[in-house]
Amino acid sequence: MDTLAHAVYGAALFSRTGLAGGRRGAVDKQLRAVACDWTLWAAAGFGLLPDVFSLGIYFTQLAFTGEPLNFSAIPAYVLVLYKLTHSLIVASLGLGLLRLCGKPLVVPALAWPFHIFMDIFTHPHGPFQTPFLYPLSDFAFNGLRWWLHPWFIRAYWALVALLWLGIVIWRRRRIRPKAAS
Ligand SMILES: [Zn+2]
């Protein structure tokens, strides 16, 4: 699954503007109120986190050094970071820490394990498999090569668009009887 989709799914499921806001979430409000919903940006950020704090660091390094992108010569430390950020054990520890000292972030942070959950089934064996039990085990499923299947990319983008649409309709139906009375 592409990194941007992880952010959009994270925001859709784990922000107040998204599903986690319940029926009173921010979608009915003005666009400015939606843009000011910090949980929206936090959930999107946690959705990005596993890729940004691994491959993102490598891409930033390439931008500074001017070296060409070479997926077969990715530094070992980036691969270790990739395993760490794609581990449900590490994500659980992170969530535990947030529960202790950053409680309001806990719900948006669920976008992190959700990213891992989606990658488990959409990454095949190889350097970018999803070792969700790391460091206890390197076990990973031999998932779908999502980037080779345009139908799959279209399907998951259509699904998240429908999810946002569903949230808007759900909330509009709540306020309509009030407006009529
Ligand atoms: Zn990922």
Side-chain angles (χ1 to χ4, degrees), residues 146-164:
W146 64 265
W147 56 94
L148 296 182
H149 300 281
W151 67 268
F152 182 69
I153 297 171
R154 281 195 290 272
Y156 67 66
W157 274 106
L159 186 67
V160 78
L162 280 174
L163 180 59
W164 276 113

Side-chain angles (χ1 to χ4, degrees), residues 6 21 31 50 61 63 87 89 91 102 106 119 123 127 148 150 168-169 181:
H6 282 301
L31 205 57
Q61 182 188 319
S87 159
I89 293 172
V106 171
D119 275 0
H123 284 244
L148 296 182
V168 173
I169 293 170
S181 63

Side-chain angles (χ1 to χ4, degrees), residues 29-122:
K29 296 175 185 166
Q30 292 173 343
L31 205 57
R32 195 169 64 87
V34 171
C36 293
D37 172 18
W38 68 268
T39 67
L40 182 82
W41 304 108
F46 277 104
L48 295 172
L49 182 149
D51 293 345
V52 166
F53 285 99
S54 53
L55 286 173
I57 292 174
Y58 175 57
F59 293 147
T60 308
Q61 182 188 319
L62 293 185
F64 277 101
T65 60
E67 291 168 29
L69 173 64
N70 183 357
F71 276 109
S72 53
I74 289 182
Y77 83 89
V78 173
L79 295 176
V80 172
L81 284 174
Y82 190 87
K83 288 180 177 186
L84 286 169
T85 56
H86 286 77
S87 159
L88 286 176
I89 293 172
V90 175
S92 301
L93 288 174
L95 282 166
L97 266 177
L98 287 176
R99 179 134 170 65
L100 285 177
C101 37
K103 219 170 175 179
L105 277 170
V106 171
V107 173
L110 290 172
W112 179 5
F114 190 72
H115 174 131
I116 298 168
F117 178 73
M118 290 194 289
D119 275 0
I120 286 174
F121 304 104
T122 56

